[in-house]
Amino acid sequence: QVQLLESGGGLVQAGGSLRLSCAASGGTFSSYSMGWFRQAPGKEREFVAAITWGGGSTYYADSVKGRFTISREDDKNTLYLQMNSLKPEDTAVYYCAATLLVVYRALLRANSYNYWGQGTQVTVSP
């Protein structure tokens, strides 16, 4: 059983930056591929970024490519999402999630992930 706890959300002006963290406990963090998803009010949860176990591959939604960077520190059991050049449309609750899968198409889907954090709010003002 893996527990995930996100932090680092907040209010930022458009063009600003935030770094989200996701602390994992209760499992072998290095064995899991990790993902970030987000959900805005009235919208479905959507894929943001993913990183395979060992950090060998990273994947991004087109909407964040070039602005967001996903990374992990397995010795600290922590996942990160560096978000730069933030836009108002990035406003959402951001969730980290863990899965044992590594296939690209699987990592894009929320239902591929077994464990989820409680989410952290990111608000970008115009």
Side-chain angles (χ1 to χ4, degrees):
Q1 188 80 5
V2 177
Q3 291 83 46
L4 302 172
L5 182 63
E6 302 95 336
S7 61
L11 174 64
V12 64
Q13 288 188 329
S17 299
L18 282 174
R19 188 175 83 155
L20 305 183
S21 298
C22 172
S25 61
T28 306
F29 178 72
S30 59
S31 299
Y32 290 88
S33 297
M34 301 296 296
W36 286 100
F37 288 76
R38 66 186 181 187
Q39 188 166 18
K43 296 188 176 181
E44 292 187 355
R45 191 167 299 191
E46 66 173 358
F47 170 78
V48 175
I51 185 168
T52 55
W53 58 265
S57 297
T58 56
Y59 307 105
Y60 297 93
D62 288 343
S63 59
V64 307
K65 203 171 292 183
R67 300 188 298 123
F68 292 10
T69 302
I70 188 171
S71 62
R72 63 190 298 162
E73 288 190 280
D74 288 347
D75 58 341
K76 296 182 178 179
N77 290 345
T78 304
L79 174 74
Y80 302 100
L81 185 69
Q82 177 67 43
M83 305 186 295
N84 298 329
S85 302
L86 282 161
K87 305 175 180 179
E89 51 263 44
D90 294 319
T91 295
V93 177
Y94 283 71
Y95 300 89
C96 65
T99 178
L100 291 173
L101 302 177
V102 296
V103 176
Y104 166 66
R105 288 185 178 181
L107 296 180
L108 303 183
R109 298 194 302 263
N111 61 10
S112 296
Y113 293 79
N114 306 101
Y115 304 103
W116 291 84
Q118 86 294 341
T120 186
Q121 176 70 46
V122 171
T123 303
V124 184
S125 62

